[in-house]
Amino acid sequence: MSVTSIVDEKEVLESAASTEVVIQINNMNKWFGQFHVLKDINLTVHRGERIVICGPSGSGKSTLIRCLNRLEEHQQGDIIIDGVTLDSNLKNIDQIRSEVGMVFQSFNLFPHLTALQNCTLSPIWVRKMPRAEAEELAMEYLERVRIPEQAHKYPGQLSGGQQQRVAIARALCMRPRIMLFDEPTSALDPEMIAEVLEVMIELAATGMTMLCVTHEMGFANRVADRVIFMDFGQIVEQNTPREFFENPKSDRTKLFLSQILAH
Amino acid sequence: MTAAADRTGSTRQLPKQRLDPLRWLREKLFNTWYNTILTFIALAIIYKFAAVIWQWGFVDAVWIAENRRECLNISPGGACWAGVIAWFKAIIYGRYPAVELWRINLGVLLLAAWLAPLWLPRVSMKTVIGLSTVVFYPFLAGYLFVGGEKGILIQVTVTAAIVCLAVNSVHSLIGVVNGGSLVRTLLGLLRLQHRSEKAQRNTLLALLAAFFAIVFALQAGWTLEEVSWVKWGGLFLTLVISGIGITMALPMGIILALGRRSRLPVIRVLCITFIELFRSVPLITVLFMATTMFPLFLPEGFNLNKLVQVIVAVCLFSGCYMAEIVRGGLQAIPKGQYEAAQAMGLGYWKMMSFVVMPQALKYMIPNIVGNFMGLLKDTTLVSIIGLFDILNMIKAASQDVPWRGLHKEPLLVGAIIFFIICFAMSKYSQRLEVKLSAGERR
């Protein structure tokens, strides 16, 4: 039984998007050395919008969202997040990074700290919160991702699904306005994918602006306001999930969908 | 939870294996015919060695004699330990005046007392205690060992060191006795728990200042006889040089390694040049250059004595080797750790201090301790430029008129001393590795 069928039975989430523009990408181009990896990207994201980015591997989807918090640098074009232009100005970068949370495919939890310490590190040292208040905040988010009892365990003692949920709680402890997900369930065993997707769906229901690179089409169907298809560094097609899955316009989209929805 | 418990089925414990020495011998040493032969050959070799050493070192040895001639008369084939005993004080302390030896002993005791809390279980703020040792102990020990007139700067630093030691000791005692901390106990005694944080801080600082003033007044009238560095020698000198080298090597290595990986071109080029320069020349060359060329670079009239030149050279040399070890450790940290820290908004220094360095240092420990052990043994090279470290003292013992020709015995004792120190370092590093791997899945 695939995850798609479990999720399909439930209701599609209502859109919480507003008209306020929170991410604006204009004519963005990026090269890795001589390799042109992102070509003429134009994208507008509104507050509360939930976007799923999909595409074949090597299409630049991860690179695109990593450009949004300057883990990768773009060479041409503008990226404006919450009114702040993303360039080499360190102050701007720091400001954007504290408003944009990221969840990685390989979790990237800090193995020498407990789950609680992973979550409180940034609030204490970046937001200058007192320790007791930071721990209270961290416990609140660990409860939201449904693992408060693991707070004092080290990442090495947790399962993959639990680690990813701690990673989501850690990103949420900074109270970001935008959450980026880079293939959050791709490294998980199938039985753990559902628990992480549940957490992400609950997060979406609270009105968080989310950009999610994923292959979980059931999740896209249920949660996304927009599905974007990327291929060879370009945005080929973007549409509502219903339109995207039922009436794909480009041939490349049709090919991709036939490949991933086959099984 | 119950579903999970049912799934595990009938789990049992591994049946206990009884230790049986006869069976162990049969399985490990005598299991096949060629292993049996090898075991007997090995036993024969061990016996031969042990017998020779026992004969030479204990049975035929001479423990009391006036000179080597007498040793040889009493027992020509045995070890002449009498010579080592006569020279033992020199081998350990050098030519430090006998009446002032208590200062060296006191210095070592104070170091042990300062560092002891790091091993006690219920003491808090261990990092602060450790750092205070590195910052304040050198001043106290420096004055104890050198002595002489106390300028105002020395008086202040010595007072600070004594105050720090006293505060540490009381804090540790409180920690061991009831698990509390000095700050909390003082606040309780003065009934300040309910006052504002500012009032608490000011009162404690005032107490500290008063204590400082009292100690300052007490130590103002007390001076120690000056002992020139020329008289320092033996194990004492070796430990001073390598101790300072070891303490400076790690911070210097971290800074150089971070500089080498920096994106700022000037810093990167400077660090690479510095590191490669010192790694390309033998330590003995660096020592020669330090003692002959250093005075050229210093301003007029500013003379550094030979010991300081040597210490600076040793610090620079070991710092560069340490830089490469640190860089190796930093490279072992997956890129995802750096990215996760950056994505959370941690700046460069916070990322390094809280995320990268704690993980990297764990990987570096075998290399770091190996480097320290090498440094300790490399300091014997200073004997070539005329400083009387432990090796030079041992050589002097063999050239001393009553004991001329006494080579084997002092060298053996020197080797044993080095072995004890290095083995202790090695054992400590293994304990450290085990402690820092807490929580890791093996």
Side-chain angles (χ1 to χ4, degrees):
Chain A
M1 193 157 65
S2 75
V3 181
T4 321
S5 60
I6 298 176
V7 173
D8 266 339
E9 286 158 18
K10 308 200 180 118
E11 282 175 34
V12 167
L13 275 184
E14 272 193 29
S15 172
S18 67
T19 48
E20 181 195 348
V21 170
V22 78
I23 300 179
Q24 179 70 44
I25 306 178
N26 296 327
N27 295 323
M28 197 253 281
N29 282 282
K30 177 172 170 57
W31 285 262
F32 273 135
Q34 294 300 316
F35 177 53
H36 196 175
V37 59
L38 290 173
K39 303 169 184 157
D40 303 317
I41 304 284
N42 285 292
L43 185 63
T44 309
V45 180
H46 298 96
R47 183 166 313 287
E49 232 190 315
R50 304 178 288 259
I51 297 186
V52 165
I53 306 174
C54 62
S57 76
S59 55
K61 357 181 254 295
S62 291
T63 314
L64 174 60
I65 67 166
R66 283 158 64 93
C67 283
L68 293 179
N69 65 358
R70 204 69 176 176
L71 287 182
E72 304 286 353
E73 290 173 17
H74 60 281
Q75 280 83 25
Q76 255 182 37
D78 306 306
I79 301 179
I80 302 164
I81 298 183
D82 235 355
V84 180
T85 312
L86 193 56
D87 52 19
S88 45
N89 183 331
L90 286 178
K91 226 170 81 150
N92 288 351
I93 297 177
D94 282 340
Q95 191 179 349
I96 287 175
R97 281 181 179 164
S98 54
E99 302 295 334
V100 174
M102 184 150 184
V103 176
F104 298 88
Q105 179 175 357
S106 48
F107 331 137
N108 288 338
L109 289 179
F110 307 135
H112 60 295
L113 300 175
T114 61
L116 188 69
Q117 288 165 340
N118 262 278
C119 294
T120 56
L121 185 66
S122 204
I124 291 178
W125 293 104
V126 180
R127 297 243 193 262
K128 315 263 195 265
M129 239 186 239
R131 180 171 295 272
E133 197 184 319
E135 287 185 358
E136 223 182 281
L137 178 73
M139 284 309 293
E140 180 195 321
Y141 281 112
L142 285 174
E143 270 162 28
R144 271 233 267 167
V145 300
R146 306 198 204 135
I147 40 169
E149 71 278 359
Q150 312 287 357
H152 298 288
K153 294 237 178 100
Y154 288 93
Q157 300 167 301
L158 301 174
S159 75
Q162 291 169 329
Q163 286 186 51
Q164 191 63 297
R165 286 187 280 159
V166 173
I168 296 176
R170 179 178 70 172
L172 290 174
C173 278
M174 286 297 283
R175 297 204 202 267
R177 311 177 90 180
I178 304 168
M179 280 288 276
L180 306 173
F181 292 86
D182 187 359
E183 305 208 36
T185 56
S186 298
L188 296 176
D189 295 337
E191 55 213 39
M192 299 192 220
I193 294 180
E195 63 193 40
V196 173
L197 287 182
E198 285 293 313
V199 166
M200 287 167 68
I201 292 169
E202 277 174 22
L203 182 62
T206 64
M208 172 74 76
T209 315
M210 290 164 66
L211 273 95
C212 195
V213 173
T214 184
H215 299 291
E216 298 291 331
M217 294 302 140
F219 172 77
N221 213 3
R222 184 150 171 227
V223 161
D225 295 317
R226 231 196 303 175
V227 178
I228 294 178
F229 174 68
M230 282 184 71
D231 195 15
F232 288 109
Q234 289 172 300
I235 294 182
V236 173
E237 193 172 325
Q238 45 182 313
N239 225 326
T240 61
R242 179 176 288 276
E243 281 300 307
F244 183 82
F245 290 117
E246 291 179 9
N247 298 323
K249 295 192 179 40
S250 154
D251 284 336
R252 290 196 273 178
T253 321
K254 291 181 191 153
L255 178 63
F256 176 70
L257 284 176
S258 71
Q259 285 168 336
I260 68 164
L261 292 177
H263 49 275
Chain B
M1 273 310 243
T2 26
D6 288 345
R7 276 169 57 198
T8 56
S10 60
T11 5
R12 299 184 297 286
Q13 272 199 331
L14 178 69
K16 271 200 186 328
Q17 318 258 15
R18 275 221 337 263
L19 287 170
D20 188 5
L22 231 59
R23 209 185 69 185
W24 184 89
L25 279 176
R26 215 164 350 131
E27 281 182 12
K28 301 286 182 188
L29 298 181
F30 296 105
N31 47 356
T32 54
W33 65 268
Y34 49 84
N35 271 346
T36 314
I37 294 183
L38 281 176
T39 306
F40 279 122
I41 294 179
L43 281 174
I45 295 176
I46 295 175
Y47 177 73
K48 205 72 211 298
F49 267 105
V52 166
I53 292 183
W54 176 254
Q55 189 71 25
W56 176 82
F58 289 95
V59 177
D60 291 337
V62 179
W63 297 88
I64 302 175
E66 290 296 316
N67 52 48
R68 193 152 183 263
R69 176 77 21 215
E70 197 179 321
C71 262
L72 291 173
N73 287 342
I74 296 175
S75 166
C80 187
W81 296 123
V84 176
I85 293 173
W87 268 83
F88 197 67
K89 223 185 221 139
I91 291 176
I92 303 289
Y93 296 108
R95 286 176 297 169
Y96 213 82
V99 293
E100 310 282 355
L101 283 182
W102 63 271
R103 286 154 62 172
I104 298 182
N105 296 335
L106 182 63
V108 173
L109 270 171
L110 285 178
L111 182 63
W114 214 308
L115 289 177
L118 298 178
W119 271 269
L120 299 173
R122 293 202 294 177
V123 176
S124 57
M125 306 212 342
K126 286 195 169 125
T127 330
V128 176
I129 294 179
L131 282 176
S132 76
T133 320
V134 175
V135 172
F136 288 112
Y137 174 74
F139 292 106
L140 187 57
Y143 184 68
L144 265 179
F145 298 153
V146 176
E149 275 298 312
K150 272 197 271 181
I152 192 76
L153 194 62
I154 299 184
Q155 293 201 27
V156 168
T157 47
V158 168
T159 313
I162 297 176
V163 165
C164 183
L165 178 60
V167 166
N168 279 350
S169 309
V170 176
H171 172 87
S172 318
L173 206 59
I174 293 177
V176 168
V177 164
N178 68 3
S181 80
L182 179 62
V183 170
R184 249 186 292 153
T185 314
L186 277 178
L187 289 177
L189 279 175
L190 299 170
R191 301 193 209 291
L192 287 175
Q193 296 99 318
H194 304 294
R195 300 278 291 282
S196 74
E197 243 194 67
K198 205 161 168 215
Q200 289 178 346
R201 200 174 348 127
N202 289 344
T203 322
L204 289 177
L205 283 177
L207 264 178
L208 188 66
F211 188 45
F212 190 91
I214 296 173
V215 176
F216 190 84
L218 283 175
Q219 62 83 43
W222 150 70
T223 44
L224 291 170
E225 177 102 11
E226 179 163 354
V227 179
S228 156
W229 63 270
V230 176
K231 300 229 179 87
W232 295 15
L235 183 63
F236 168 57
L237 185 64
T238 300
L239 289 179
V240 165
I241 297 177
S242 50
I244 298 179
I246 285 173
T247 315
M248 301 264 66
L250 195 52
M252 230 182 101
I254 291 176
I255 293 177
L256 280 172
L258 292 178
R260 186 167 179 160
R261 281 164 58 101
S262 164
R263 297 212 291 185
L264 306 170
V266 173
I267 294 184
R268 193 174 62 236
V269 168
L270 275 176
C271 286
I272 292 180
T273 316
F274 193 74
I275 293 174
E276 293 305 328
L277 196 65
F278 276 93
R279 288 209 309 166
S280 319
V281 291
L283 177 58
I284 189 65
T285 318
V286 176
L287 289 174
F288 273 132
M289 284 179 59
T291 46
T292 51
M293 287 180 59
F294 234 23
L296 294 175
F297 291 108
L298 293 174
E300 278 296 322
F302 190 73
N303 277 328
L304 286 177
N305 62 48
K306 198 184 335 186
L307 180 59
V308 177
Q309 290 169 346
V310 159
I311 290 178
V312 170
V314 165
C315 287
L316 291 175
F317 188 78
S318 61
C320 290
Y321 273 84
M322 193 59 78
E324 289 300 281
I325 293 177
V326 172
R327 194 169 65 95
L330 289 175
Q331 282 173 189
I333 304 298
K335 195 154 159 260
Q337 295 289 305
Y338 290 92
E339 288 179 353
Q342 286 166 343
M344 274 164 57
L346 288 171
Y348 180 77
W349 292 107
K350 294 203 175 87
M351 170 178 74
M352 283 300 171
S353 314
F354 297 119
V355 177
V356 179
M357 278 300 176
Q359 296 183 56
L361 283 170
K362 213 173 16 169
Y363 294 130
M364 295 186 235
I365 288 176
N367 276 332
I368 290 180
V369 175
N371 187 301
F372 287 167
M373 283 162 65
L375 183 58
L376 174 71
K377 293 176 285 178
D378 281 344
T379 55
T380 52
L381 284 173
V382 305
S383 61
I384 299 184
I385 49 173
L387 284 174
F388 276 88
D389 74 306
I390 188 172
L391 191 63
N392 223 352
M393 273 301 167
I394 288 171
K395 256 182 30 189
S398 72
Q399 290 162 350
D400 191 25
V401 171
W403 303 102
R404 189 142 338 153
L406 190 75
H407 296 291
K408 287 198 285 273
E409 291 82 345
L411 278 173
L412 196 61
V413 168
I416 292 175
I417 293 176
F418 270 114
F419 175 77
I420 293 175
I421 300 177
C422 292
F423 188 68
M425 276 190 197
S426 178
K427 265 278 166 271
Y428 180 66
S429 94
Q430 285 168 22
R431 270 199 55 208
L432 207 59
E433 277 187 68
V434 169
K435 213 173 67 152
L436 292 178
S437 304
E440 248 182 50
R441 227 191 240 169
R442 298 307 188 111

